[in-house]
Amino acid sequence: MALPKLNTVEYFCKLPVSGIEAKYRPFTVGEQKVLLQALEDGENKTIAHTVINLVESCSGLSESGDSVRHLSNTDLEYLFMQIRIKSVGEETTIQLGCKDQPECDGITPVKVDLNSIQVEGEIKDNKVMLTDTIGITLKVPNFNEVQGIVEDVATISTNDLFTILAMSIDSVFTEDEVQNRSDFTEKELDDFMNELSTEQFNNVMEWFNELPKLVKNVEFECSKCSTHNEVKLEGIQNFFV
Ligand SMILES: [Zn+2]
């Protein structure tokens, strides 16, 4: 005899970057087991893929034709956090090192209320001027694009950064002409990028740095030397590993 199917509650939230209204359900005990195994394993790539598979199963995005993989990292992290809160609660304990490292090797368990994590930053005008007359428009890279380039988000190289930046350029414009991605080749874009001055490059990077991200300011006394620590946590890896 077939066992009865358990009903699950559905929730909704608005994603901070794309503004998409996402439907989600809590994860099951079986799904949680897989997640815990990935966290124990500690490999960033494994964790990222486990998280994305989990969010894919628990959200209604694929029903509406959207894919979780097309979300920006911040939207993905935000959605995962909402699912996590509804599944195992809003409290998590993270292990934080002392600011006096390497003198102090104390590791302090710190409780974090996931509901108090905030989204900081904004998508400003997606236009960045490089000179008085030449500019570019940028788009937020999605999870799939970033994963395709970066082997491991914890060890992102300058070269990776350069590639992500190039991929995020949507168009190049002058006073009287707009060239979209289909109008120029990878090689032409690469040459264009290589000609940027450090200042121009930094202007573009500033746009990326100001994109919305999950942040939480945490204060704690080191369990070993009692030093007062204040840290700002950014991104999901910090909240769960
Ligand atoms: Zn300490």
Side-chain angles (χ1 to χ4, degrees):
M1 195 174 79
L3 292 171
K5 200 92 186 119
L6 299 166
N7 282 327
T8 47
V9 191
E10 285 180 340
Y11 300 92
F12 292 87
C13 70
K14 192 177 177 182
L15 303 181
V17 179
S18 60
I20 291 174
E21 191 81 26
K23 182 171 84 173
Y24 63 97
R25 63 159 173 85
F27 45 73
T28 64
V29 174
E31 286 164 338
Q32 190 191 357
K33 224 187 274 173
V34 176
L35 177 65
L36 290 175
Q37 270 165 9
L39 290 173
E40 264 166 35
D41 178 54
E43 195 83 35
N44 279 315
K45 206 178 170 116
T46 313
I47 296 170
H49 282 275
T50 309
V51 166
I52 194 126
N53 287 334
L54 193 67
V55 176
E56 192 109 69
S57 324
C58 295
S59 76
L61 284 176
S62 43
E63 289 168 31
S64 55
D66 285 312
S67 167
V68 167
R69 284 162 202 276
H70 294 146
L71 294 178
S72 63
N73 271 328
T74 299
D75 272 356
L76 185 67
E77 290 180 350
Y78 184 84
L79 185 52
F80 173 69
M81 205 167 72
Q82 305 313 313
I83 295 171
R84 201 280 186 185
I85 289 171
K86 290 289 188 285
S87 308
V88 282
E90 65 256 6
E91 197 175 87
T92 182
T93 302
I94 50 175
Q95 311 291 330
L96 295 174
C98 185
K99 70 175 174 193
D100 286 342
Q101 287 175 18
E103 282 75 28
C104 173
D105 62 357
I107 300 285
T108 312
V110 181
K111 278 185 184 153
V112 175
D113 177 358
L114 294 175
N115 275 323
S116 69
I117 291 173
Q118 288 172 328
V119 180
E120 191 182 272
E122 56 179 333
I123 304 180
K124 286 207 196 140
D125 190 2
N126 68 339
K127 237 181 240 177
V128 176
M129 292 308 291
L130 300 174
T131 70
D132 287 343
T133 52
I134 303 171
I136 54 176
T137 59
L138 295 157
K139 65 175 177 71
V140 184
N142 66 40
F143 175 87
N144 240 11
E145 290 169 331
V146 175
Q147 287 295 315
I149 293 162
V150 184
E151 263 293 299
D152 187 336
V153 282
T155 57
I156 193 160
S157 70
T158 317
N159 210 17
D160 292 339
L161 207 62
F162 202 76
T163 314
I164 292 173
L165 207 154
M167 195 175 54
S168 309
I169 294 179
D170 222 13
S171 74
V172 178
F173 62 89
T174 60
E175 272 172 325
D176 42 34
E177 193 187 21
V178 178
Q179 294 193 65
N180 295 311
R181 268 321 276 267
S182 51
D183 301 327
F184 47 85
T185 64
E186 294 290 319
K187 169 85 172 69
E188 283 167 334
L189 179 61
D190 197 49
D191 292 345
F192 177 79
M193 298 268 306
N194 276 310
E195 277 173 27
L196 291 178
S197 68
T198 308
E199 196 192 339
Q200 288 164 338
F201 183 80
N202 288 342
N203 280 346
V204 183
M205 280 317 296
E206 202 182 303
W207 185 87
F208 279 95
N209 291 335
E210 284 172 1
L211 288 177
K213 54 183 169 250
L214 302 180
V215 295
K216 169 77 185 163
N217 292 307
V218 176
E219 292 183 31
F220 66 97
E221 315 293 328
C222 174
S223 61
K224 194 168 183 183
C225 71
S226 300
T227 298
H228 186 71
N229 282 264
E230 285 178 26
V231 284
K232 185 179 190 175
L233 303 174
E234 283 182 17
I236 208 169
Q237 302 274 357
N238 275 310
F239 304 120
F240 297 103
V241 186

